[in-house]
PDB file of all heavy atoms in Angstrom:
ATOM      1  N   THR A   1       0.826  -1.183   0.013  1.00  0.00           N
ATOM      2  CA  THR A   1      -0.004   0.011  -0.032  1.00  0.00           C
ATOM      3  C   THR A   1       0.953   1.274   0.003  1.00  0.00           C
ATOM      4  O   THR A   1       2.070   1.129   0.355  1.00  0.00           O
ATOM      5  CB  THR A   1      -0.891   0.107   1.217  1.00  0.00           C
ATOM      6  OG1 THR A   1      -0.066   0.097   2.417  1.00  0.00           O
ATOM      7  CG2 THR A   1      -1.877  -1.136   1.275  1.00  0.00           C
ATOM      8  N   ILE A   2       0.389   2.338  -0.345  1.00  0.00           N
ATOM      9  CA  ILE A   2       1.109   3.605  -0.241  1.00  0.00           C
ATOM     10  C   ILE A   2       0.487   4.493   0.661  1.00  0.00           C
ATOM     11  O   ILE A   2      -0.837   4.711   0.520  1.00  0.00           O
ATOM     12  CB  ILE A   2       1.273   4.253  -1.663  1.00  0.00           C
ATOM     13  CG1 ILE A   2       2.123   3.304  -2.669  1.00  0.00           C
ATOM     14  CG2 ILE A   2       1.946   5.634  -1.590  1.00  0.00           C
ATOM     15  CD1 ILE A   2       2.255   3.807  -4.102  1.00  0.00           C
ATOM     16  N   GLY A   3       1.140   5.135   1.535  1.00  0.00           N
ATOM     17  CA  GLY A   3       0.592   6.029   2.500  1.00  0.00           C
ATOM     18  C   GLY A   3       1.541   7.256   2.629  1.00  0.00           C
ATOM     19  O   GLY A   3       2.726   7.097   2.762  1.00  0.00           O
ATOM     20  N   SER A   4       0.914   8.446   2.613  1.00  0.00           N
ATOM     21  CA  SER A   4       1.714   9.630   2.765  1.00  0.00           C
ATOM     22  C   SER A   4       1.955  10.047   4.168  1.00  0.00           C
ATOM     23  O   SER A   4       2.771  10.915   4.447  1.00  0.00           O
ATOM     24  CB  SER A   4       1.128  10.800   1.999  1.00  0.00           C
ATOM     25  OG  SER A   4      -0.263  11.066   2.409  1.00  0.00           O
ATOM     26  N   ASP A   5       1.266   9.328   5.206  1.00  0.00           N
ATOM     27  CA  ASP A   5       1.479   9.653   6.580  1.00  0.00           C
ATOM     28  C   ASP A   5       1.407  11.173   6.863  1.00  0.00           C
ATOM     29  O   ASP A   5       2.151  11.734   7.541  1.00  0.00           O
ATOM     30  CB  ASP A   5       2.877   9.130   7.004  1.00  0.00           C
ATOM     31  CG  ASP A   5       2.932   8.817   8.511  1.00  0.00           C
ATOM     32  OD1 ASP A   5       1.943   9.025   9.201  1.00  0.00           O
ATOM     33  OD2 ASP A   5       4.013   8.427   9.014  1.00  0.00           O
ATOM     34  N   ALA A   6       0.510  11.740   6.142  1.00  0.00           N
ATOM     35  CA  ALA A   6       0.328  13.252   6.225  1.00  0.00           C
ATOM     36  C   ALA A   6      -0.252  13.697   7.562  1.00  0.00           C
ATOM     37  O   ALA A   6      -1.386  13.253   7.910  1.00  0.00           O
ATOM     38  CB  ALA A   6      -0.514  13.729   5.086  1.00  0.00           C
ATOM     39  N   HIS A   7       0.405  14.569   8.248  1.00  0.00           N
ATOM     40  CA  HIS A   7      -0.103  15.088   9.459  1.00  0.00           C
ATOM     41  C   HIS A   7      -0.585  16.484   9.231  1.00  0.00           C
ATOM     42  O   HIS A   7      -1.166  17.104  10.181  1.00  0.00           O
ATOM     43  CB  HIS A   7       0.893  15.082  10.493  1.00  0.00           C
ATOM     44  CG  HIS A   7       1.229  13.665  11.096  1.00  0.00           C
ATOM     45  ND1 HIS A   7       1.466  13.359  12.398  1.00  0.00           N
ATOM     46  CD2 HIS A   7       1.417  12.493  10.431  1.00  0.00           C
ATOM     47  CE1 HIS A   7       1.664  12.167  12.446  1.00  0.00           C
ATOM     48  NE2 HIS A   7       1.660  11.571  11.318  1.00  0.00           N
ATOM     49  N   VAL A   8      -0.488  17.010   8.020  1.00  0.00           N
ATOM     50  CA  VAL A   8      -0.950  18.304   7.635  1.00  0.00           C
ATOM     51  C   VAL A   8      -1.444  18.175   6.204  1.00  0.00           C
ATOM     52  O   VAL A   8      -0.973  17.315   5.434  1.00  0.00           O
ATOM     53  CB  VAL A   8       0.215  19.372   7.702  1.00  0.00           C
ATOM     54  CG1 VAL A   8       0.690  19.490   9.028  1.00  0.00           C
ATOM     55  CG2 VAL A   8       1.361  19.084   6.725  1.00  0.00           C
ATOM     56  N   PRO A   9      -2.427  18.996   5.850  1.00  0.00           N
ATOM     57  CA  PRO A   9      -3.015  18.857   4.430  1.00  0.00           C
ATOM     58  C   PRO A   9      -1.961  18.896   3.270  1.00  0.00           C
ATOM     59  O   PRO A   9      -2.153  18.258   2.278  1.00  0.00           O
ATOM     60  CB  PRO A   9      -3.996  20.043   4.409  1.00  0.00           C
ATOM     61  CG  PRO A   9      -4.342  20.266   5.801  1.00  0.00           C
ATOM     62  CD  PRO A   9      -3.073  20.072   6.563  1.00  0.00           C
ATOM     63  N   ALA A  10      -0.916  19.724   3.465  1.00  0.00           N
ATOM     64  CA  ALA A  10       0.050  19.778   2.371  1.00  0.00           C
ATOM     65  C   ALA A  10       0.863  18.444   2.163  1.00  0.00           C
ATOM     66  O   ALA A  10       1.432  18.305   1.088  1.00  0.00           O
ATOM     67  CB  ALA A  10       1.002  20.979   2.661  1.00  0.00           C
ATOM     68  N   GLY A  11       0.741  17.603   3.058  1.00  0.00           N
ATOM     69  CA  GLY A  11       1.517  16.344   2.964  1.00  0.00           C
ATOM     70  C   GLY A  11       0.775  15.212   2.344  1.00  0.00           C
ATOM     71  O   GLY A  11       1.279  14.221   1.920  1.00  0.00           O
ATOM     72  N   VAL A  12      -0.518  15.472   2.121  1.00  0.00           N
ATOM     73  CA  VAL A  12      -1.327  14.366   1.439  1.00  0.00           C
ATOM     74  C   VAL A  12      -0.768  14.202   0.102  1.00  0.00           C
ATOM     75  O   VAL A  12      -0.769  15.021  -0.778  1.00  0.00           O
ATOM     76  CB  VAL A  12      -2.855  14.737   1.465  1.00  0.00           C
ATOM     77  CG1 VAL A  12      -3.733  13.642   0.687  1.00  0.00           C
ATOM     78  CG2 VAL A  12      -3.328  14.860   2.849  1.00  0.00           C
ATOM     79  N   GLY A  13      -0.526  12.914  -0.213  1.00  0.00           N
ATOM     80  CA  GLY A  13       0.006  12.598  -1.655  1.00  0.00           C
ATOM     81  C   GLY A  13       1.481  12.864  -1.948  1.00  0.00           C
ATOM     82  O   GLY A  13       1.916  12.602  -3.014  1.00  0.00           O
ATOM     83  N   ARG A  14       2.116  13.392  -0.864  1.00  0.00           N
ATOM     84  CA  ARG A  14       3.596  13.839  -1.145  1.00  0.00           C
ATOM     85  C   ARG A  14       4.334  12.566  -1.510  1.00  0.00           C
ATOM     86  O   ARG A  14       4.221  11.554  -0.865  1.00  0.00           O
ATOM     87  CB  ARG A  14       4.037  14.492   0.114  1.00  0.00           C
ATOM     88  CG  ARG A  14       5.584  14.881   0.133  1.00  0.00           C
ATOM     89  CD  ARG A  14       6.014  15.468   1.342  1.00  0.00           C
ATOM     90  NE  ARG A  14       5.450  14.927   2.498  1.00  0.00           N
ATOM     91  CZ  ARG A  14       5.157  15.576   3.630  1.00  0.00           C
ATOM     92  NH1 ARG A  14       5.478  16.788   3.801  1.00  0.00           N
ATOM     93  NH2 ARG A  14       4.644  14.882   4.658  1.00  0.00           N
ATOM     94  N   ASN A  15       5.220  12.751  -2.526  1.00  0.00           N
ATOM     95  CA  ASN A  15       6.146  11.707  -2.907  1.00  0.00           C
ATOM     96  C   ASN A  15       5.377  10.356  -3.422  1.00  0.00           C
ATOM     97  O   ASN A  15       6.066   9.427  -3.489  1.00  0.00           O
ATOM     98  CB  ASN A  15       7.146  11.360  -1.768  1.00  0.00           C
ATOM     99  CG  ASN A  15       7.974  12.445  -1.408  1.00  0.00           C
ATOM    100  OD1 ASN A  15       8.449  13.216  -2.232  1.00  0.00           O
ATOM    101  ND2 ASN A  15       8.178  12.654  -0.120  1.00  0.00           N
ATOM    102  N   TYR A  16       4.218  10.525  -3.873  1.00  0.00           N
ATOM    103  CA  TYR A  16       3.425   9.366  -4.232  1.00  0.00           C
ATOM    104  C   TYR A  16       4.068   8.812  -5.563  1.00  0.00           C
ATOM    105  O   TYR A  16       4.263   7.542  -5.666  1.00  0.00           O
ATOM    106  CB  TYR A  16       1.982   9.751  -4.546  1.00  0.00           C
ATOM    107  CG  TYR A  16       1.142   8.560  -4.958  1.00  0.00           C
ATOM    108  CD1 TYR A  16       0.560   7.803  -3.918  1.00  0.00           C
ATOM    109  CD2 TYR A  16       0.877   8.177  -6.318  1.00  0.00           C
ATOM    110  CE1 TYR A  16      -0.201   6.675  -4.216  1.00  0.00           C
ATOM    111  CE2 TYR A  16       0.123   7.066  -6.563  1.00  0.00           C
ATOM    112  CZ  TYR A  16      -0.406   6.300  -5.604  1.00  0.00           C
ATOM    113  OH  TYR A  16      -1.263   5.264  -5.931  1.00  0.00           O
ATOM    114  N   ASP A  17       4.538   9.644  -6.481  1.00  0.00           N
ATOM    115  CA  ASP A  17       5.179   9.131  -7.659  1.00  0.00           C
ATOM    116  C   ASP A  17       6.549   8.361  -7.362  1.00  0.00           C
ATOM    117  O   ASP A  17       6.771   7.363  -8.015  1.00  0.00           O
ATOM    118  CB  ASP A  17       5.611  10.298  -8.574  1.00  0.00           C
ATOM    119  CG  ASP A  17       4.370  10.862  -9.241  1.00  0.00           C
ATOM    120  OD1 ASP A  17       3.258  10.264  -9.266  1.00  0.00           O
ATOM    121  OD2 ASP A  17       4.510  12.036  -9.747  1.00  0.00           O
ATOM    122  N   ARG A  18       7.288   8.759  -6.333  1.00  0.00           N
ATOM    123  CA  ARG A  18       8.412   7.990  -5.933  1.00  0.00           C
ATOM    124  C   ARG A  18       8.094   6.614  -5.322  1.00  0.00           C
ATOM    125  O   ARG A  18       8.779   5.664  -5.578  1.00  0.00           O
ATOM    126  CB  ARG A  18       9.311   8.841  -4.915  1.00  0.00           C
ATOM    127  CG  ARG A  18       9.950  10.005  -5.478  1.00  0.00           C
ATOM    128  CD  ARG A  18      10.784  10.695  -4.586  1.00  0.00           C
ATOM    129  NE  ARG A  18      11.441  11.766  -5.305  1.00  0.00           N
ATOM    130  CZ  ARG A  18      12.108  12.726  -4.640  1.00  0.00           C
ATOM    131  NH1 ARG A  18      12.315  12.736  -3.394  1.00  0.00           N
ATOM    132  NH2 ARG A  18      12.626  13.719  -5.289  1.00  0.00           N
ATOM    133  N   ALA A  19       6.935   6.610  -4.639  1.00  0.00           N
ATOM    134  CA  ALA A  19       6.496   5.292  -4.075  1.00  0.00           C
ATOM    135  C   ALA A  19       6.174   4.371  -5.169  1.00  0.00           C
ATOM    136  O   ALA A  19       6.422   3.234  -5.151  1.00  0.00           O
ATOM    137  CB  ALA A  19       5.392   5.534  -3.157  1.00  0.00           C
ATOM    138  N   ARG A  20       5.411   4.929  -6.238  1.00  0.00           N
ATOM    139  CA  ARG A  20       4.977   4.003  -7.358  1.00  0.00           C
ATOM    140  C   ARG A  20       6.266   3.499  -8.063  1.00  0.00           C
ATOM    141  O   ARG A  20       6.236   2.351  -8.514  1.00  0.00           O
ATOM    142  CB  ARG A  20       4.134   4.863  -8.306  1.00  0.00           C
ATOM    143  CG  ARG A  20       2.710   5.088  -7.754  1.00  0.00           C
ATOM    144  CD  ARG A  20       1.947   5.972  -8.741  1.00  0.00           C
ATOM    145  NE  ARG A  20       2.055   5.301 -10.109  1.00  0.00           N
ATOM    146  CZ  ARG A  20       0.984   4.995 -10.784  1.00  0.00           C
ATOM    147  NH1 ARG A  20      -0.281   5.327 -10.380  1.00  0.00           N
ATOM    148  NH2 ARG A  20       1.100   4.419 -12.025  1.00  0.00           N
ATOM    149  N   GLU A  21       7.295   4.435  -8.296  1.00  0.00           N
ATOM    150  CA  GLU A  21       8.489   3.910  -8.914  1.00  0.00           C
ATOM    151  C   GLU A  21       9.161   2.803  -8.078  1.00  0.00           C
ATOM    152  O   GLU A  21       9.723   1.930  -8.665  1.00  0.00           O
ATOM    153  CB  GLU A  21       9.438   5.125  -9.075  1.00  0.00           C
ATOM    154  CG  GLU A  21       8.991   6.167 -10.167  1.00  0.00           C
ATOM    155  CD  GLU A  21       9.832   7.406 -10.056  1.00  0.00           C
ATOM    156  OE1 GLU A  21      10.952   7.419  -9.520  1.00  0.00           O
ATOM    157  OE2 GLU A  21       9.359   8.499 -10.600  1.00  0.00           O
ATOM    158  N   LEU A  22       9.125   2.985  -6.799  1.00  0.00           N
ATOM    159  CA  LEU A  22       9.810   1.980  -5.877  1.00  0.00           C
ATOM    160  C   LEU A  22       9.077   0.734  -6.027  1.00  0.00           C
ATOM    161  O   LEU A  22       9.671  -0.343  -6.131  1.00  0.00           O
ATOM    162  CB  LEU A  22       9.730   2.441  -4.526  1.00  0.00           C
ATOM    163  CG  LEU A  22      10.553   1.788  -3.412  1.00  0.00           C
ATOM    164  CD1 LEU A  22      12.062   1.732  -3.725  1.00  0.00           C
ATOM    165  CD2 LEU A  22      10.338   2.415  -2.032  1.00  0.00           C
ATOM    166  N   ALA A  23       7.732   0.740  -6.039  1.00  0.00           N
ATOM    167  CA  ALA A  23       6.918  -0.493  -6.273  1.00  0.00           C
ATOM    168  C   ALA A  23       7.257  -1.105  -7.521  1.00  0.00           C
ATOM    169  O   ALA A  23       7.474  -2.330  -7.629  1.00  0.00           O
ATOM    170  CB  ALA A  23       5.539  -0.193  -6.049  1.00  0.00           C
ATOM    171  N   ARG A  24       7.298  -0.360  -8.590  1.00  0.00           N
ATOM    172  CA  ARG A  24       7.466  -0.775  -9.903  1.00  0.00           C
ATOM    173  C   ARG A  24       8.873  -1.404 -10.071  1.00  0.00           C
ATOM    174  O   ARG A  24       9.062  -2.438 -10.664  1.00  0.00           O
ATOM    175  CB  ARG A  24       7.319   0.342 -10.959  1.00  0.00           C
ATOM    176  CG  ARG A  24       7.097  -0.142 -12.396  1.00  0.00           C
ATOM    177  CD  ARG A  24       6.667   0.978 -13.255  1.00  0.00           C
ATOM    178  NE  ARG A  24       5.568   1.675 -12.931  1.00  0.00           N
ATOM    179  CZ  ARG A  24       5.484   3.027 -12.703  1.00  0.00           C
ATOM    180  NH1 ARG A  24       6.559   3.738 -12.853  1.00  0.00           N
ATOM    181  NH2 ARG A  24       4.326   3.561 -12.361  1.00  0.00           N
ATOM    182  N   ALA A  25       9.956  -0.811  -9.380  1.00  0.00           N
ATOM    183  CA  ALA A  25      11.222  -1.260  -9.506  1.00  0.00           C
ATOM    184  C   ALA A  25      11.419  -2.707  -9.006  1.00  0.00           C
ATOM    185  O   ALA A  25      12.312  -3.426  -9.455  1.00  0.00           O
ATOM    186  CB  ALA A  25      12.185  -0.348  -8.779  1.00  0.00           C
ATOM    187  N   PHE A  26      10.599  -3.186  -8.035  1.00  0.00           N
ATOM    188  CA  PHE A  26      10.713  -4.418  -7.438  1.00  0.00           C
ATOM    189  C   PHE A  26       9.533  -5.269  -7.757  1.00  0.00           C
ATOM    190  O   PHE A  26       9.267  -6.302  -7.043  1.00  0.00           O
ATOM    191  CB  PHE A  26      10.929  -4.389  -5.904  1.00  0.00           C
ATOM    192  CG  PHE A  26      12.174  -3.515  -5.578  1.00  0.00           C
ATOM    193  CD1 PHE A  26      12.082  -2.353  -4.897  1.00  0.00           C
ATOM    194  CD2 PHE A  26      13.370  -4.020  -6.129  1.00  0.00           C
ATOM    195  CE1 PHE A  26      13.328  -1.607  -4.734  1.00  0.00           C
ATOM    196  CE2 PHE A  26      14.630  -3.277  -5.783  1.00  0.00           C
ATOM    197  CZ  PHE A  26      14.530  -2.051  -5.153  1.00  0.00           C
ATOM    198  N   ASP A  27       8.718  -4.925  -8.831  1.00  0.00           N
ATOM    199  CA  ASP A  27       7.625  -5.723  -9.324  1.00  0.00           C
ATOM    200  C   ASP A  27       6.575  -6.005  -8.141  1.00  0.00           C
ATOM    201  O   ASP A  27       6.167  -7.140  -7.983  1.00  0.00           O
ATOM    202  CB  ASP A  27       8.126  -6.995  -9.850  1.00  0.00           C
ATOM    203  CG  ASP A  27       7.031  -7.653 -10.701  1.00  0.00           C
ATOM    204  OD1 ASP A  27       6.220  -7.047 -11.261  1.00  0.00           O
ATOM    205  OD2 ASP A  27       7.076  -8.939 -10.790  1.00  0.00           O
ATOM    206  N   LEU A  28       6.274  -4.986  -7.402  1.00  0.00           N
ATOM    207  CA  LEU A  28       5.301  -5.078  -6.299  1.00  0.00           C
ATOM    208  C   LEU A  28       4.095  -4.371  -6.709  1.00  0.00           C
ATOM    209  O   LEU A  28       4.029  -3.352  -7.422  1.00  0.00           O
ATOM    210  CB  LEU A  28       5.812  -4.439  -5.027  1.00  0.00           C
ATOM    211  CG  LEU A  28       7.043  -5.096  -4.454  1.00  0.00           C
ATOM    212  CD1 LEU A  28       7.748  -4.105  -3.368  1.00  0.00           C
ATOM    213  CD2 LEU A  28       6.675  -6.359  -3.831  1.00  0.00           C
ATOM    214  N   THR A  29       2.926  -4.945  -6.428  1.00  0.00           N
ATOM    215  CA  THR A  29       1.592  -4.531  -6.900  1.00  0.00           C
ATOM    216  C   THR A  29       1.007  -3.632  -5.876  1.00  0.00           C
ATOM    217  O   THR A  29       0.857  -4.101  -4.667  1.00  0.00           O
ATOM    218  CB  THR A  29       0.606  -5.818  -7.129  1.00  0.00           C
ATOM    219  OG1 THR A  29       1.259  -6.631  -8.182  1.00  0.00           O
ATOM    220  CG2 THR A  29      -0.698  -5.245  -7.632  1.00  0.00           C
ATOM    221  N   ILE A  30       0.586  -2.425  -6.208  1.00  0.00           N
ATOM    222  CA  ILE A  30      -0.064  -1.472  -5.282  1.00  0.00           C
ATOM    223  C   ILE A  30      -1.546  -1.838  -5.083  1.00  0.00           C
ATOM    224  O   ILE A  30      -2.274  -2.032  -6.032  1.00  0.00           O
ATOM    225  CB  ILE A  30       0.170  -0.070  -5.785  1.00  0.00           C
ATOM    226  CG1 ILE A  30       1.603   0.351  -5.959  1.00  0.00           C
ATOM    227  CG2 ILE A  30      -0.542   0.915  -4.864  1.00  0.00           C
ATOM    228  CD1 ILE A  30       1.832   1.523  -6.807  1.00  0.00           C
TER     229      ILE A  30
END
C-alpha cells in the first residue's frame, strides 16, 4: 500500500510518484 502519513493537508499525496517507482522497480503490486 502507499501512505503519505500526512499530518498536515500539504503532506497528502507527497512523494506518491516516488513510491510508485519504488513498487515498480521491485515488481510489487499496489
